[in-house]
Amino acid sequence: MPELPEVETIRRGLKKFIINQKITRIDVSCEKSFIGVPPVGKIKDIRRYGKALIIDLDNDSSLMIHLRMTGQLIYDGAERYAAGHPSDNFTANLPNKQTRVVLHLENGTLYFNDQRKFGFIKVIKTKAVESDPFIKKLAKEPWSMTPQEFYEKLQKHKNSCVKATILDQTIICGLGNIYADEALFAAKIHPERKSGSLSREESTSLLKSAREVMQKSIDSGGSTMATYVKADGTKGDYLEKFAQVFHRENQPCPRCSMKLIKIKVAGRGTHICPNCQQQPCLRSIGHD
DNA sequence: CTAGGATCCTGTCAGC
DNA sequence: TGCTGACAGGATCCTA
């Protein structure tokens, strides 16, 4: 579930707590969730490639972590920091039923929870991170992609729905279901438009919107809970404060007040304003 | 090569 | 209450 802004929020949050701590032991309770031989070693850095986190150790090995749909990382030490898939388990006892891997550190514990077991932690050599099959094929993030490059990518996949195109991490990296919907709404583009039908202006607008919605989310701590859990832990509030369409079906469009609807595109739940985001055959009728 | 659908897995919720 | 199917903030594999 976590998309680029959530993973970046996790990275920044965890960094403060785990850098320079030694991993003393790793317990794996779900074989599928941990690939490789659990290492011990001191944590030197925590990096991010798209939606993947990399924890570098001082022994030439790294842990690659992908949370996929339902992963969570929770650090429990003098303070607790939790982020990832939103759930009540953040504040529940740890470990719990969904805890797949426990990393014991000198001064605390890092829990990897994952309801659906799609996520994983994988041991790779630090030198081989960039040549890992998943990392290697990731495209540029919206901030480092030029409008020209983006337009060319859309043309290359001209027969595919634009939403499917921007969800493909090998085409543009970082967007998931929330930010794809938000970016398309911001750019007033219907998700079922063929990628090749977007004008250069629309393409540039979409790229710009993708940057904006994700940056805004990073600035506000992600859309999911990212919290120092005390009794009243604060949480990332992108969905509450900034999301315009995601999970807002049946509510009025913030731009035109027409009722937002939910449809299915590329196999994913998709939220749109049927007035602001019109199909090609309906566009240019009457107004702009 | 592209595009679309099934699939991995567990849990929750709406509808009967 | 219990059952059933749909669905879920991701990515891969298989098919045509």
Side-chain angles (χ1 to χ4, degrees):
Chain A
M1 67 121 259
E3 305 177 34
L4 188 152
E6 286 71 44
V7 178
E8 177 61 16
T9 297
I10 293 171
R11 190 191 69 80
R12 293 181 185 181
L14 276 186
K15 186 163 188 158
K16 297 195 279 283
F17 299 109
I18 67 171
I19 291 288
N20 290 325
Q21 279 209 60
K22 188 177 177 191
I23 296 175
T24 56
R25 191 178 85 246
I26 296 178
D27 293 333
V28 178
S29 50
C30 174
E31 293 303 318
K32 187 175 188 288
S33 302
F34 197 98
I35 301 156
V37 179
V40 294
K42 192 171 180 180
I43 295 171
K44 300 306 290 181
D45 200 6
I46 174 166
R47 302 180 281 150
R48 182 185 61 74
Y49 287 84
K51 302 175 190 174
L53 279 175
I54 307 292
I55 293 178
D56 293 313
L57 306 184
D58 64 353
N59 60 5
D60 298 326
S61 66
S62 297
L63 298 175
M64 172 179 160
I65 305 177
H66 201 306
L67 302 173
R68 291 280 181 97
M69 295 279 268
T70 56
Q72 309 170 319
L73 284 172
I74 303 163
Y75 176 75
D76 189 25
E79 291 180 272
R80 184 178 281 188
Y81 181 84
H85 183 66
S87 82
D88 296 338
N89 288 337
F90 277 160
T91 53
N93 289 336
L94 291 167
N96 60 45
K97 196 165 78 169
Q98 299 177 352
T99 301
R100 311 302 181 195
V101 180
V102 180
L103 297 93
H104 299 275
L105 310 181
E106 290 166 289
N107 303 313
T109 310
L110 185 60
Y111 297 92
F112 173 67
N113 290 353
D114 185 16
Q115 176 186 111
R116 293 172 75 179
K117 301 183 179 175
F118 292 166
F120 59 86
I121 300 178
K122 181 180 173 186
V123 183
I124 50 181
K125 292 289 177 196
T126 302
K127 277 190 299 189
V129 168
E130 300 209 347
S131 55
D132 177 88
F134 176 79
I135 303 287
K136 193 175 178 179
K137 63 189 179 195
L138 291 176
K140 289 180 183 176
E141 295 180 2
W143 300 280
S144 50
M145 185 176 291
T146 66
Q148 175 65 20
E149 284 174 311
F150 185 55
Y151 182 74
E152 285 169 5
K153 299 238 188 201
L154 292 180
Q155 290 306 313
K156 187 176 172 193
H157 299 270
K158 59 187 162 80
N159 293 319
S160 165
C161 292
V162 63
K163 176 162 177 179
T165 302
I166 63 174
L167 281 175
D168 187 333
Q169 305 298 296
T170 69
I171 296 173
I172 184 168
C173 180
L175 291 158
N177 210 28
I178 295 179
Y179 302 105
D181 281 3
E182 293 296 326
L184 287 163
F185 172 80
K188 300 186 183 178
I189 295 168
H190 194 287
E192 287 178 310
R193 292 268 305 279
K194 296 294 179 196
S195 300
S197 78
L198 270 64
S199 67
R200 281 184 181 273
E201 279 189 357
E202 288 176 317
S203 166
T204 299
S205 171
L206 181 55
L207 177 64
K208 189 161 166 279
S209 297
R211 292 175 185 165
E212 288 172 358
V213 296
M214 291 206 293
Q215 188 61 55
K216 194 171 246 184
S217 184
I218 291 172
D219 293 344
S220 70
S223 65
T224 55
M225 295 168 77
T227 164
Y228 299 89
V229 177
K230 299 169 187 165
D232 65 341
T234 57
K235 61 178 191 174
D237 53 11
Y238 177 84
L239 278 184
E240 261 171 51
K241 290 190 182 168
F242 301 115
Q244 305 285 294
V245 290
F246 196 81
H247 282 181
R248 292 190 188 278
E249 59 269 31
N250 298 321
Q251 296 179 32
C253 169
R255 255 193 321 243
C256 76
S257 298
M258 184 162 287
K259 195 195 259 190
L260 300 174
I261 60 171
K262 184 173 180 182
I263 59 177
K264 186 162 248 185
V265 180
R268 311 294 301 275
T270 299
H271 311 76
I272 64 168
C273 170
N275 184 41
C276 297
Q277 298 162 271
Q278 294 188 0
Q279 282 281 26
C281 59
L282 300 175
R283 286 184 311 135
S284 82
I285 296 175
H287 53 81
D288 58 21

